[in-house]
């Protein structure tokens, strides 16, 4: 019999879901609920190429999962194939270094890690609780964004601050996008079988963006930190800056440190510099029409991404491959070209035709013929990774 997994990605104001079958390769239904906890919540189902949107009377997480359950009740051919529910969880702290079957102890652990991800982890715990209630008997699995980076060595994950903060409070680099990096490494080894014995740099560039160095199949460094604010310049996040800026911004705008941090999270990055948008595509269009701030924002994004890739490369035995993924990494030839041009010191050269004409949504090798580090585009698929983990743990 076909076995399928319901994958749930529960955020504070949105919930994405999909039912994947055939070892995660076939999407039977997918969708998203938006603007949760407001009176404008909607849920959209995409099934057999058709989209249907419904307004929710009550925009709670419970009402969304109830809706999904009701939809499944009406599509018994899909419902009867369900063997489990996989949940994406942003922060697993030092407690979770791999995906796990969820029990009360795991839920307590997820709640404990909420201090580092106050917007995300409580929403995940809520989603899990509701799924247990509405799908009794189905095993539930948690897949953590931080887990892949638990192989980092202390010299990479510790911050150079008094040691007691780590000892007493677990303040350290955790890194994120781990499910995406693990999927890319796993998939890449199916097309380049010896890549798990090589050095691979991966740039996950989307609205949130980070890089990861994978040495012999294990994460050896990553750019995000205790929160997803550290590292690259992003859509609205500044990425790494001198921490003194928090105090200076606070004084300049007469706001407290929490608000200054919120400014670094929500009003900075591409949006802050361009004063136009956090969206790469919008900025590329504006740049082509002569908007110099849009160009500056994109140029800064490229420079800072290249610097972080170069820095992470120091944890590799050698650089064999560079992989671009995420909405920007997969779709912006302009930024791929610019980032690689700043990495000439590593002999990373791409073929401009291959880069420009790379097919959307597909794997491509865009390397110039004389480039030893090979440069690739690989679409990420976190839902597939969650489904595969869930199937493995259930079996
Ligand atoms: P993600 O967060 O991975 O969904 O990626 C979102 C980012 O990808 C946004 O900044 C989009 O503008 C960007 N993006 C998507 N498609 C394109 C495209 N064709 N060209 C440039 N950027 C794109």
């Amino acid at each position: 019999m076909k076995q399928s997994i319901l994958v749930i990605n529960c955020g504070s104001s949105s919930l994405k879901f999909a039912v994947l079958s055939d070892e995660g390769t076939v999407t039977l239904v997918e969708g998203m609920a938006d603007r949760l906890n407001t009176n404008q919540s909607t849920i959209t189902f995409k099934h057999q190429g058709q989209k249907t949107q419904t307004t929710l009377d009550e925009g709670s997480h419970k009402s969304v999962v109830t809706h999904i359950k009701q939809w499944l009740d009406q599509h018994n051919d899909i419902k009867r194939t369900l063997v489990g529910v996989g949940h994406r969880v942003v922060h697993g702290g030092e407690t979770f270094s791999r995906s796990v079957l969820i029990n009360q102890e795991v839920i307590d652990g997820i709640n404990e890690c909420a201090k580092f991800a106050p917007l995300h982890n409580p929403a995940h715990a809520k989603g899990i609780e509701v799924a247990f209630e509405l799908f009794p008997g189905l095993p539930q699995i948690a897949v953590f964004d931080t887990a892949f980076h638990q192989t980092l060595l202390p010299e990479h994950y510790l911050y150079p601050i008094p040691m007691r903060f780590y000892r007493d409070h677990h303040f350290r680099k955790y890194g994120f996008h781990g499910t995406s990096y693990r999927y890319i490494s796993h998939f890449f080894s199916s097309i380049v079988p010896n890549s798990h014995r090589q050095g691979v740099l991966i740039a996950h560039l989307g609205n949130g963006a980070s890089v990861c160095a994978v040495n012999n199949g294990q994460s050896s460094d990553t750019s995000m930190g205790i929160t997803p604010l550290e590292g690259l310049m992003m859509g609205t996040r500044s990425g790494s800056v001198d921490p003194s800026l928090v105090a200076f911004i606070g004084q300049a705008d007469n706001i407290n440190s929490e608000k200054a941090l919120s400014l670094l999270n929500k009003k900075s990055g591409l949006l802050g510099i361009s004063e136009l948008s956090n969206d790469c595509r919008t900025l590329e269009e504006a740049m082509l029409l002569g908007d110099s701030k849009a160009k500056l924002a994109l140029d800064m994004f490229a420079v800072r991404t290249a610097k972080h890739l170069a820095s992470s490369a120091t944890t590799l035995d050698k650089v064999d491959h560079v992989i671009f993924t995420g909405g920007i990494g997969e779709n912006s030839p302009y930024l791929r070209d610019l980032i690689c041009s700043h990495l000439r010191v590593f002999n990373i050269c791409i073929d401009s035709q291959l880069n420009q004409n790379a097919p959307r949504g597909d794997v491509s090798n865009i390397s110039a013929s004389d480039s030893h580090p090979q440069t690739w585009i690989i679409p990420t698929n976190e839902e597939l990774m969650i489904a595969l983990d869930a199937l493995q743990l259930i079996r």
Side-chain angles (χ1 to χ4, degrees), residues 311-323:
S311 162
S312 283
T314 58
T315 64
L316 298 177
D317 297 333
K318 57 189 184 339
V319 182
D320 294 297
H321 304 277
V322 178
I323 301 174

Side-chain angles (χ1 to χ4, degrees), residues 204-208 278-282 284 326-328 331-332 360:
H204 178 118
L205 310 178
N207 200 31
N278 63 315
D279 188 273
C280 173
R281 207 172 350 183
T282 306
E284 288 190 12
I328 297 173
N331 297 304
S332 173
R360 293 262 145 89

Side-chain angles (χ1 to χ4, degrees), residues 236-307:
T236 62
R237 289 175 229 158
S238 63
S240 295
V241 291
D242 185 333
S244 316
L245 269 175
V246 174
F248 285 128
I249 289 171
Q251 280 160 16
D253 273 10
N254 196 20
I255 51 177
N256 62 22
S257 63
E258 206 176 308
K259 290 206 169 117
L261 264 180
S262 166
L263 189 141
L264 294 181
N265 266 302
K266 295 184 180 151
K267 303 266 188 245
S268 302
L270 293 173
L271 173 67
I273 295 296
S274 68
E275 298 184 311
L276 175 69
S277 172
N278 63 315
D279 188 273
C280 173
R281 207 172 350 183
T282 306
L283 295 184
E284 288 190 12
E285 284 161 11
M287 175 181 69
L288 292 175
L289 294 173
D291 185 327
S292 58
K293 284 184 294 178
K295 180 175 179 333
L296 176 62
L298 293 168
D299 291 352
M300 283 177 66
F301 181 91
V303 167
R304 295 172 84 89
T305 301
K307 280 186 179 172

Side-chain angles (χ1 to χ4, degrees), residues 153-161 163 166 171-173:
L153 296 173
E155 55 266 45
H156 294 296
Y157 71 66
L158 285 174
Y159 289 115
I161 58 174
M163 199 58 185
Y166 173 63
F171 293 172
R172 51 161 283 183
K173 177 190 277 284

Side-chain angles (χ1 to χ4, degrees), residues 97-271:
S97 56
R98 58 179 53 142
S99 304
V100 289
L101 273 169
I102 302 175
N103 55 23
Q104 190 54 47
E105 204 182 325
V106 170
I107 297 175
D108 293 345
I110 292 170
N111 279 322
E112 220 162 275
C113 298
K115 61 177 182 253
F116 297 131
L119 290 180
H120 290 100
N121 273 32
H124 301 322
K126 185 85 203 150
I128 290 167
E129 184 193 310
V130 170
F132 264 122
E133 197 181 317
L134 295 174
F135 297 97
L138 277 190
Q140 316 246 349
I141 289 87
V143 180
F144 300 90
D145 271 11
T146 47
F148 186 59
H149 304 300
Q150 282 294 301
T151 47
L152 261 62
L153 296 173
E155 55 266 45
H156 294 296
Y157 71 66
L158 285 174
Y159 289 115
I161 58 174
M163 199 58 185
R164 64 186 170 84
F165 287 110
Y166 173 63
R167 251 192 335 261
D168 300 344
H169 302 284
H170 306 281
F171 293 172
R172 51 161 283 183
K173 177 190 277 284
Y174 287 100
F176 297 88
H177 289 143
T179 310
S180 169
Y181 291 126
R182 196 155 55 87
Y183 168 77
I184 298 279
S185 301
H186 176 83
F187 176 81
F188 192 50
S189 68
S190 73
I191 48 176
V192 179
N194 64 339
S195 63
H196 65 277
R197 287 191 292 272
Q198 293 187 309
V200 182
L201 287 175
I202 310 175
H204 178 118
L205 310 178
N207 200 31
S210 69
V211 301
C212 178
V214 181
N215 203 33
N216 302 321
Q218 295 198 323
S219 173
S220 54
D221 192 28
T222 191
S223 57
M224 283 177 169
I226 188 166
T227 75
L229 178 59
E230 191 180 341
L232 274 58
M233 175 174 172
M234 307 178 215
T236 62
R237 289 175 229 158
S238 63
S240 295
V241 291
D242 185 333
S244 316
L245 269 175
V246 174
F248 285 128
I249 289 171
Q251 280 160 16
D253 273 10
N254 196 20
I255 51 177
N256 62 22
S257 63
E258 206 176 308
K259 290 206 169 117
L261 264 180
S262 166
L263 189 141
L264 294 181
N265 266 302
K266 295 184 180 151
K267 303 266 188 245
S268 302
L270 293 173
L271 173 67

